[in-house]
């Protein structure tokens, strides 16, 4: 089963994909996480994408599709994957549709009004070790700066500042939002209300997946 998590930055795609991967037994495939891993390792790719990412712009389709082709060829993705943050452009969606052995069975659109986004992203913290996300006001860790799940250090992403957040919103509106129409015309889109407690949104997503099957 191949699923796509769609939604604006900060809608909760990554957080929810982590829960769903445990439920469904298929891996979360986050292009953002893959790019951040490349940066952390200091690879040539990591260096190439650094400035673009920190400015809140999209990395080229070519780079992203290269990453995805390699990732879906891994054995753990042979039964499916949950794409998180991919596709982000029509060209990416079309290339995904043309990949051998990958049929998209559902696209889950997590809907969150713009007013929530800046607040959610500017307070967001991510664990360096396990990637679990927290929020300084809405979902704080028990000890500031320390992940509740693994004890790793939490940090603020370089692109979670107001200027980059605004740019990411513009990129989303211009380049990613057209995918809502694209996938609804294919009859695979389901819209889920992304406002509220994390666990409530997870329940809504599970219900949407059950309805679909
Ligand atoms: P994310 O972790 O999904 O918020 O992605 C962080 C940043 O990585 C984005 O703002 C882009 O710069 C880049 N990125 C991640 N996924 C993609 C994608 N599918 N297409 C283009 N750029 C991407």
């Amino acid at each position: 089963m191949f699923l796509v998590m769609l939604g604006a930055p900060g809608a909760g795609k990554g957080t929810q994909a982590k829960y769903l991967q445990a439920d469904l037994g298929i891996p979360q495939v986050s292009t953002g996480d893959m790019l951040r891993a490349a940066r952390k390792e200091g690879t040539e790719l990591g260096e190439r994408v650094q400035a673009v990412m920190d400015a809140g712009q999209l990395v080229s389709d070519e780079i992203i599709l290269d990453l995805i082709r390699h990732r879906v060829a891994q054995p753990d993705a042979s039964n499916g994957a949950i794409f998180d943050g991919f596709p982000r452009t029509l060209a990416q969606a079309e290339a995904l549709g043309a990949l051998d052995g990958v049929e998209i069975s559902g696209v889950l659109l997590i809907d969150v009004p713009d007013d929530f986004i800046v607040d959610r992203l500017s307070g967001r913290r991510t664990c360096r070790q396990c990637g679990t996300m927290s929020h300084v006001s809405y979902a704080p860790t028990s000890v500031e700066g320390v992940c509740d799940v693994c004890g790793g250090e939490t940090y603020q992403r370089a692109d979670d500042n107001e200027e980059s957040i605004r740019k990411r919103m513009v990129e989303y509106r211009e380049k990613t939002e057209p995918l809502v129409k694209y996938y609804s015309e294919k009859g695979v889109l389901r819209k889920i209300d992304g406002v509220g407690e994390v666990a409530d949104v997870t329940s809504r997503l599970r219900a949407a997946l059950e309805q679909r099957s």
Side-chain angles (χ1 to χ4, degrees):
M1 180 199 282
F2 288 89
L3 296 174
V4 171
M5 307 290 286
L6 201 59
K13 302 183 295 293
T15 301
Q16 296 298 337
K18 281 188 177 48
Y19 287 107
L20 293 182
Q21 70 173 351
D23 277 9
L24 302 170
I26 50 176
Q28 169 194 17
V29 171
S30 157
T31 39
D33 284 352
M34 290 158 86
L35 294 168
R36 280 184 291 276
R39 288 176 57 171
K40 199 169 158 191
E41 286 160 22
T43 64
E44 195 212 322
L45 167 70
E47 279 171 23
R48 263 165 70 200
V49 297
Q50 182 160 339
V52 173
M53 283 177 81
D54 289 350
Q57 291 163 333
L58 291 188
V59 169
S60 75
D61 290 336
E62 197 193 344
I63 289 179
I64 296 293
L65 290 168
D66 228 35
L67 284 175
I68 286 290
R69 281 190 202 101
H70 283 95
R71 184 64 187 88
V72 296
Q74 302 299 310
D76 68 326
S78 59
N79 290 326
I82 306 167
F83 295 115
D84 155 21
F86 171 84
R88 260 179 158 100
T89 63
L90 272 175
Q92 290 178 18
E94 275 160 9
L96 175 65
L99 273 187
D100 263 356
V102 178
E103 194 175 325
I104 300 300
S105 39
V107 176
L108 301 165
L109 170 65
I110 307 187
D111 186 40
V112 173
D114 282 8
D115 296 353
F116 287 73
I117 301 286
V118 178
D119 205 28
R120 275 197 186 188
L121 289 180
S122 50
R124 176 164 80 173
R125 300 290 182 271
T126 309
C127 174
R128 283 193 198 282
Q129 227 162 268
C130 72
T132 298
M133 276 169 285
S134 51
H135 190 284
V136 290
S137 316
Y138 309 129
T141 52
S142 313
V143 179
E144 199 187 318
V146 181
C147 174
D148 281 348
V149 176
C150 75
E153 183 200 0
T154 63
Y155 78 107
Q156 181 171 30
R157 274 172 45 172
D159 58 349
D160 280 347
N161 65 76
E162 195 159 339
E163 199 186 328
S164 300
I165 292 168
R166 299 266 171 228
K167 180 68 194 162
R168 284 154 70 198
M169 297 287 290
V170 171
E171 292 280 70
Y172 177 75
R173 290 279 166 264
E174 286 178 359
K175 298 176 183 160
T176 310
E177 210 166 50
L179 298 184
V180 172
K181 183 163 175 268
Y182 176 84
Y183 283 121
S184 38
E185 282 172 3
K186 290 189 181 295
V188 288
L189 189 95
R190 298 203 80 94
K191 186 167 158 181
I192 288 97
D193 177 8
V195 177
E197 297 291 324
V198 170
D200 292 338
V201 179
T202 311
S203 304
R204 287 175 210 144
L205 287 163
R206 285 187 182 131
L209 284 170
E210 268 160 32
Q211 269 176 30
R212 199 191 47 81
S213 51

